[in-house]
PDB file of all heavy atoms in Angstrom:
ATOM      1  N   GLU A 246     -17.994  -5.292 -15.790  1.00 98.00           N
ATOM      2  CA  GLU A 246     -18.613  -5.078 -17.094  1.00 98.00           C
ATOM      3  C   GLU A 246     -19.790  -6.022 -17.327  1.00 98.00           C
ATOM      4  O   GLU A 246     -20.751  -5.660 -18.012  1.00 98.00           O
ATOM      5  CB  GLU A 246     -17.552  -5.243 -18.189  1.00 98.00           C
ATOM      6  CG  GLU A 246     -16.500  -4.128 -18.165  1.00 98.00           C
ATOM      7  CD  GLU A 246     -15.371  -4.336 -19.161  1.00 98.00           C
ATOM      8  OE1 GLU A 246     -15.243  -5.477 -19.679  1.00 98.00           O
ATOM      9  OE2 GLU A 246     -14.618  -3.391 -19.411  1.00 98.00           O
ATOM     10  N   TYR A 247     -19.739  -7.202 -16.760  1.00 97.00           N
ATOM     11  CA  TYR A 247     -20.817  -8.179 -16.954  1.00 97.00           C
ATOM     12  C   TYR A 247     -22.134  -7.638 -16.412  1.00 97.00           C
ATOM     13  O   TYR A 247     -23.191  -7.767 -17.050  1.00 97.00           O
ATOM     14  CB  TYR A 247     -20.443  -9.485 -16.247  1.00 97.00           C
ATOM     15  CG  TYR A 247     -21.332 -10.658 -16.602  1.00 97.00           C
ATOM     16  CD1 TYR A 247     -20.984 -11.534 -17.630  1.00 97.00           C
ATOM     17  CD2 TYR A 247     -22.520 -10.897 -15.915  1.00 97.00           C
ATOM     18  CE1 TYR A 247     -21.786 -12.616 -17.953  1.00 97.00           C
ATOM     19  CE2 TYR A 247     -23.336 -11.975 -16.242  1.00 97.00           C
ATOM     20  CZ  TYR A 247     -22.966 -12.833 -17.265  1.00 97.00           C
ATOM     21  OH  TYR A 247     -23.770 -13.894 -17.593  1.00 97.00           O
ATOM     22  N   PHE A 248     -22.084  -7.027 -15.210  1.00 97.00           N
ATOM     23  CA  PHE A 248     -23.302  -6.501 -14.599  1.00 97.00           C
ATOM     24  C   PHE A 248     -23.378  -4.973 -14.634  1.00 97.00           C
ATOM     25  O   PHE A 248     -24.283  -4.390 -14.034  1.00 97.00           O
ATOM     26  CB  PHE A 248     -23.407  -6.969 -13.146  1.00 97.00           C
ATOM     27  CG  PHE A 248     -23.732  -8.421 -12.978  1.00 97.00           C
ATOM     28  CD1 PHE A 248     -22.784  -9.312 -12.501  1.00 97.00           C
ATOM     29  CD2 PHE A 248     -24.991  -8.906 -13.302  1.00 97.00           C
ATOM     30  CE1 PHE A 248     -23.083 -10.662 -12.342  1.00 97.00           C
ATOM     31  CE2 PHE A 248     -25.307 -10.248 -13.151  1.00 97.00           C
ATOM     32  CZ  PHE A 248     -24.352 -11.131 -12.676  1.00 97.00           C
ATOM     33  N   SER A 249     -22.398  -4.314 -15.289  1.00 98.00           N
ATOM     34  CA  SER A 249     -22.333  -2.836 -15.317  1.00 98.00           C
ATOM     35  C   SER A 249     -22.332  -2.267 -13.900  1.00 98.00           C
ATOM     36  O   SER A 249     -23.156  -1.434 -13.530  1.00 98.00           O
ATOM     37  CB  SER A 249     -23.498  -2.263 -16.127  1.00 98.00           C
ATOM     38  OG  SER A 249     -23.467  -2.713 -17.462  1.00 98.00           O
ATOM     39  N   ILE A 250     -21.362  -2.738 -13.100  1.00 98.00           N
ATOM     40  CA  ILE A 250     -21.254  -2.347 -11.694  1.00 98.00           C
ATOM     41  C   ILE A 250     -20.185  -1.267 -11.539  1.00 98.00           C
ATOM     42  O   ILE A 250     -19.037  -1.478 -11.944  1.00 98.00           O
ATOM     43  CB  ILE A 250     -20.883  -3.555 -10.808  1.00 98.00           C
ATOM     44  CG1 ILE A 250     -21.870  -4.703 -10.996  1.00 98.00           C
ATOM     45  CG2 ILE A 250     -20.811  -3.142  -9.336  1.00 98.00           C
ATOM     46  CD1 ILE A 250     -21.461  -5.966 -10.253  1.00 98.00           C
ATOM     47  N   PRO A 251     -20.505  -0.124 -10.947  1.00 98.00           N
ATOM     48  CA  PRO A 251     -19.466   0.860 -10.612  1.00 98.00           C
ATOM     49  C   PRO A 251     -18.446   0.263  -9.639  1.00 98.00           C
ATOM     50  O   PRO A 251     -18.779  -0.619  -8.829  1.00 98.00           O
ATOM     51  CB  PRO A 251     -20.256   1.998  -9.962  1.00 98.00           C
ATOM     52  CG  PRO A 251     -21.653   1.827 -10.453  1.00 98.00           C
ATOM     53  CD  PRO A 251     -21.858   0.351 -10.604  1.00 98.00           C
ATOM     54  N   VAL A 252     -17.210   0.756  -9.717  1.00 98.00           N
ATOM     55  CA  VAL A 252     -16.113   0.199  -8.922  1.00 98.00           C
ATOM     56  C   VAL A 252     -15.418   1.301  -8.142  1.00 98.00           C
ATOM     57  O   VAL A 252     -15.013   2.326  -8.713  1.00 98.00           O
ATOM     58  CB  VAL A 252     -15.074  -0.516  -9.818  1.00 98.00           C
ATOM     59  CG1 VAL A 252     -13.955  -1.123  -8.961  1.00 98.00           C
ATOM     60  CG2 VAL A 252     -15.736  -1.591 -10.668  1.00 98.00           C
ATOM     61  N   THR A 253     -15.269   1.099  -6.834  1.00 98.00           N
ATOM     62  CA  THR A 253     -14.457   1.994  -6.013  1.00 98.00           C
ATOM     63  C   THR A 253     -13.336   1.182  -5.387  1.00 98.00           C
ATOM     64  O   THR A 253     -13.485  -0.013  -5.125  1.00 98.00           O
ATOM     65  CB  THR A 253     -15.304   2.686  -4.928  1.00 98.00           C
ATOM     66  OG1 THR A 253     -14.489   3.626  -4.218  1.00 98.00           O
ATOM     67  CG2 THR A 253     -15.896   1.688  -3.939  1.00 98.00           C
ATOM     68  N   THR A 254     -12.196   1.817  -5.142  1.00 98.00           N
ATOM     69  CA  THR A 254     -11.061   1.120  -4.546  1.00 98.00           C
ATOM     70  C   THR A 254     -10.623   1.814  -3.269  1.00 98.00           C
ATOM     71  O   THR A 254     -10.853   3.010  -3.068  1.00 98.00           O
ATOM     72  CB  THR A 254      -9.860   1.068  -5.516  1.00 98.00           C
ATOM     73  OG1 THR A 254      -9.424   2.403  -5.792  1.00 98.00           O
ATOM     74  CG2 THR A 254     -10.213   0.370  -6.806  1.00 98.00           C
ATOM     75  N   THR A 255      -9.951   1.064  -2.419  1.00 98.00           N
ATOM     76  CA  THR A 255      -9.323   1.621  -1.236  1.00 98.00           C
ATOM     77  C   THR A 255      -7.964   2.202  -1.622  1.00 98.00           C
ATOM     78  O   THR A 255      -7.512   2.067  -2.767  1.00 98.00           O
ATOM     79  CB  THR A 255      -9.112   0.537  -0.171  1.00 98.00           C
ATOM     80  OG1 THR A 255      -8.150  -0.415  -0.671  1.00 98.00           O
ATOM     81  CG2 THR A 255     -10.421  -0.183   0.139  1.00 98.00           C
ATOM     82  N   LEU A 256      -7.291   2.802  -0.651  1.00 98.00           N
ATOM     83  CA  LEU A 256      -5.938   3.308  -0.889  1.00 98.00           C
ATOM     84  C   LEU A 256      -5.017   2.163  -1.304  1.00 98.00           C
ATOM     85  O   LEU A 256      -4.194   2.315  -2.209  1.00 98.00           O
ATOM     86  CB  LEU A 256      -5.415   3.980   0.386  1.00 98.00           C
ATOM     87  CG  LEU A 256      -4.069   4.703   0.284  1.00 98.00           C
ATOM     88  CD1 LEU A 256      -4.156   5.902  -0.644  1.00 98.00           C
ATOM     89  CD2 LEU A 256      -3.585   5.146   1.664  1.00 98.00           C
ATOM     90  N   MET A 257      -5.156   0.995  -0.670  1.00 98.00           N
ATOM     91  CA  MET A 257      -4.344  -0.166  -1.032  1.00 98.00           C
ATOM     92  C   MET A 257      -4.784  -0.782  -2.348  1.00 98.00           C
ATOM     93  O   MET A 257      -4.006  -1.471  -3.007  1.00 98.00           O
ATOM     94  CB  MET A 257      -4.431  -1.225   0.074  1.00 98.00           C
ATOM     95  CG  MET A 257      -3.565  -0.949   1.280  1.00 98.00           C
ATOM     96  SD  MET A 257      -1.812  -1.055   0.930  1.00 98.00           S
ATOM     97  CE  MET A 257      -1.647  -2.778   0.481  1.00 98.00           C
ATOM     98  N   GLY A 258      -6.034  -0.560  -2.724  1.00 98.00           N
ATOM     99  CA  GLY A 258      -6.562  -1.191  -3.932  1.00 98.00           C
ATOM    100  C   GLY A 258      -6.334  -0.411  -5.208  1.00 98.00           C
ATOM    101  O   GLY A 258      -6.719  -0.873  -6.294  1.00 98.00           O
ATOM    102  N   LYS A 259      -5.727   0.784  -5.106  1.00 98.00           N
ATOM    103  CA  LYS A 259      -5.488   1.570  -6.324  1.00 98.00           C
ATOM    104  C   LYS A 259      -4.676   0.761  -7.331  1.00 98.00           C
ATOM    105  O   LYS A 259      -3.661   0.170  -6.989  1.00 98.00           O
ATOM    106  CB  LYS A 259      -4.741   2.870  -5.985  1.00 98.00           C
ATOM    107  CG  LYS A 259      -5.648   3.995  -5.572  1.00 98.00           C
ATOM    108  CD  LYS A 259      -4.877   5.289  -5.353  1.00 98.00           C
ATOM    109  CE  LYS A 259      -4.301   5.877  -6.623  1.00 98.00           C
ATOM    110  NZ  LYS A 259      -5.311   6.368  -7.574  1.00 98.00           N
ATOM    111  N   GLY A 260      -5.147   0.740  -8.564  1.00 97.00           N
ATOM    112  CA  GLY A 260      -4.495  -0.021  -9.617  1.00 97.00           C
ATOM    113  C   GLY A 260      -5.178  -1.336  -9.912  1.00 97.00           C
ATOM    114  O   GLY A 260      -4.922  -1.947 -10.948  1.00 97.00           O
ATOM    115  N   ALA A 261      -6.050  -1.778  -9.008  1.00 98.00           N
ATOM    116  CA  ALA A 261      -6.755  -3.041  -9.250  1.00 98.00           C
ATOM    117  C   ALA A 261      -7.831  -2.882 -10.308  1.00 98.00           C
ATOM    118  O   ALA A 261      -8.289  -3.874 -10.877  1.00 98.00           O
ATOM    119  CB  ALA A 261      -7.380  -3.555  -7.953  1.00 98.00           C
ATOM    120  N   PHE A 262      -8.251  -1.650 -10.576  1.00 98.00           N
ATOM    121  CA  PHE A 262      -9.246  -1.377 -11.618  1.00 98.00           C
ATOM    122  C   PHE A 262      -8.843  -0.082 -12.317  1.00 98.00           C
ATOM    123  O   PHE A 262      -8.450   0.894 -11.669  1.00 98.00           O
ATOM    124  CB  PHE A 262     -10.647  -1.231 -10.995  1.00 98.00           C
ATOM    125  CG  PHE A 262     -11.758  -1.144 -12.014  1.00 98.00           C
ATOM    126  CD1 PHE A 262     -12.197  -2.288 -12.675  1.00 98.00           C
ATOM    127  CD2 PHE A 262     -12.356   0.068 -12.319  1.00 98.00           C
ATOM    128  CE1 PHE A 262     -13.215  -2.222 -13.624  1.00 98.00           C
ATOM    129  CE2 PHE A 262     -13.378   0.149 -13.252  1.00 98.00           C
ATOM    130  CZ  PHE A 262     -13.812  -1.000 -13.911  1.00 98.00           C
ATOM    131  N   ASP A 263      -8.923  -0.100 -13.626  1.00 96.00           N
ATOM    132  CA  ASP A 263      -8.497   1.046 -14.437  1.00 96.00           C
ATOM    133  C   ASP A 263      -9.345   2.273 -14.102  1.00 96.00           C
ATOM    134  O   ASP A 263     -10.559   2.285 -14.354  1.00 96.00           O
ATOM    135  CB  ASP A 263      -8.629   0.687 -15.917  1.00 96.00           C
ATOM    136  CG  ASP A 263      -8.162   1.801 -16.834  1.00 96.00           C
ATOM    137  OD1 ASP A 263      -7.713   2.857 -16.341  1.00 96.00           O
ATOM    138  OD2 ASP A 263      -8.264   1.613 -18.067  1.00 96.00           O
ATOM    139  N   GLU A 264      -8.731   3.306 -13.546  1.00 96.00           N
ATOM    140  CA  GLU A 264      -9.470   4.500 -13.153  1.00 96.00           C
ATOM    141  C   GLU A 264      -9.876   5.375 -14.337  1.00 96.00           C
ATOM    142  O   GLU A 264     -10.580   6.360 -14.161  1.00 96.00           O
ATOM    143  CB  GLU A 264      -8.674   5.300 -12.120  1.00 96.00           C
ATOM    144  CG  GLU A 264      -8.573   4.583 -10.781  1.00 96.00           C
ATOM    145  CD  GLU A 264      -7.909   5.413  -9.698  1.00 96.00           C
ATOM    146  OE1 GLU A 264      -8.531   6.376  -9.203  1.00 96.00           O
ATOM    147  OE2 GLU A 264      -6.752   5.107  -9.351  1.00 96.00           O
ATOM    148  N   HIS A 265      -9.423   5.017 -15.541  1.00 96.00           N
ATOM    149  CA  HIS A 265      -9.927   5.684 -16.743  1.00 96.00           C
ATOM    150  C   HIS A 265     -11.224   5.044 -17.234  1.00 96.00           C
ATOM    151  O   HIS A 265     -11.900   5.583 -18.105  1.00 96.00           O
ATOM    152  CB  HIS A 265      -8.881   5.627 -17.861  1.00 96.00           C
ATOM    153  CG  HIS A 265      -7.625   6.399 -17.564  1.00 96.00           C
ATOM    154  ND1 HIS A 265      -6.506   5.803 -17.034  1.00 96.00           N
ATOM    155  CD2 HIS A 265      -7.321   7.711 -17.723  1.00 96.00           C
ATOM    156  CE1 HIS A 265      -5.555   6.703 -16.881  1.00 96.00           C
ATOM    157  NE2 HIS A 265      -6.017   7.869 -17.289  1.00 96.00           N
ATOM    158  N   HIS A 266     -11.538   3.886 -16.698  1.00 97.00           N
ATOM    159  CA  HIS A 266     -12.723   3.142 -17.125  1.00 97.00           C
ATOM    160  C   HIS A 266     -13.978   3.897 -16.700  1.00 97.00           C
ATOM    161  O   HIS A 266     -14.035   4.449 -15.592  1.00 97.00           O
ATOM    162  CB  HIS A 266     -12.699   1.748 -16.493  1.00 97.00           C
ATOM    163  CG  HIS A 266     -13.635   0.764 -17.117  1.00 97.00           C
ATOM    164  ND1 HIS A 266     -15.012   0.823 -16.954  1.00 97.00           N
ATOM    165  CD2 HIS A 266     -13.399  -0.326 -17.901  1.00 97.00           C
ATOM    166  CE1 HIS A 266     -15.570  -0.170 -17.606  1.00 97.00           C
ATOM    167  NE2 HIS A 266     -14.625  -0.894 -18.189  1.00 97.00           N
ATOM    168  N   PRO A 267     -15.013   3.940 -17.541  1.00 97.00           N
ATOM    169  CA  PRO A 267     -16.223   4.686 -17.170  1.00 97.00           C
ATOM    170  C   PRO A 267     -16.928   4.158 -15.923  1.00 97.00           C
ATOM    171  O   PRO A 267     -17.699   4.890 -15.298  1.00 97.00           O
ATOM    172  CB  PRO A 267     -17.117   4.551 -18.407  1.00 97.00           C
ATOM    173  CG  PRO A 267     -16.539   3.439 -19.217  1.00 97.00           C
ATOM    174  CD  PRO A 267     -15.084   3.426 -18.920  1.00 97.00           C
ATOM    175  N   LEU A 268     -16.673   2.915 -15.536  1.00 98.00           N
ATOM    176  CA  LEU A 268     -17.293   2.375 -14.329  1.00 98.00           C
ATOM    177  C   LEU A 268     -16.524   2.730 -13.057  1.00 98.00           C
ATOM    178  O   LEU A 268     -16.997   2.482 -11.947  1.00 98.00           O
ATOM    179  CB  LEU A 268     -17.426   0.853 -14.422  1.00 98.00           C
ATOM    180  CG  LEU A 268     -18.472   0.330 -15.406  1.00 98.00           C
ATOM    181  CD1 LEU A 268     -18.367  -1.186 -15.548  1.00 98.00           C
ATOM    182  CD2 LEU A 268     -19.885   0.728 -14.971  1.00 98.00           C
ATOM    183  N   SER A 269     -15.343   3.322 -13.198  1.00 98.00           N
ATOM    184  CA  SER A 269     -14.547   3.670 -12.022  1.00 98.00           C
ATOM    185  C   SER A 269     -15.093   4.930 -11.345  1.00 98.00           C
ATOM    186  O   SER A 269     -15.400   5.920 -12.006  1.00 98.00           O
ATOM    187  CB  SER A 269     -13.085   3.903 -12.412  1.00 98.00           C
ATOM    188  OG  SER A 269     -12.354   4.434 -11.315  1.00 98.00           O
ATOM    189  N   VAL A 270     -15.206   4.873 -10.022  1.00 98.00           N
ATOM    190  CA  VAL A 270     -15.571   6.077  -9.262  1.00 98.00           C
ATOM    191  C   VAL A 270     -14.435   6.499  -8.337  1.00 98.00           C
ATOM    192  O   VAL A 270     -14.628   7.328  -7.452  1.00 98.00           O
ATOM    193  CB  VAL A 270     -16.879   5.874  -8.464  1.00 98.00           C
ATOM    194  CG1 VAL A 270     -18.047   5.707  -9.405  1.00 98.00           C
ATOM    195  CG2 VAL A 270     -16.788   4.693  -7.506  1.00 98.00           C
TER     196      VAL A 270
END
Side-chain angles (χ1 to χ4, degrees):
E246 292 175 345
Y247 192 93
F248 288 110
S249 299
I250 305 174
V252 182
T253 184
T254 62
T255 66
L256 186 65
M257 281 293 296
K259 274 184 68 67
F262 188 76
D263 182 1
E264 291 186 72
H265 295 95
H266 196 288
L268 289 172
S269 171
V270 294

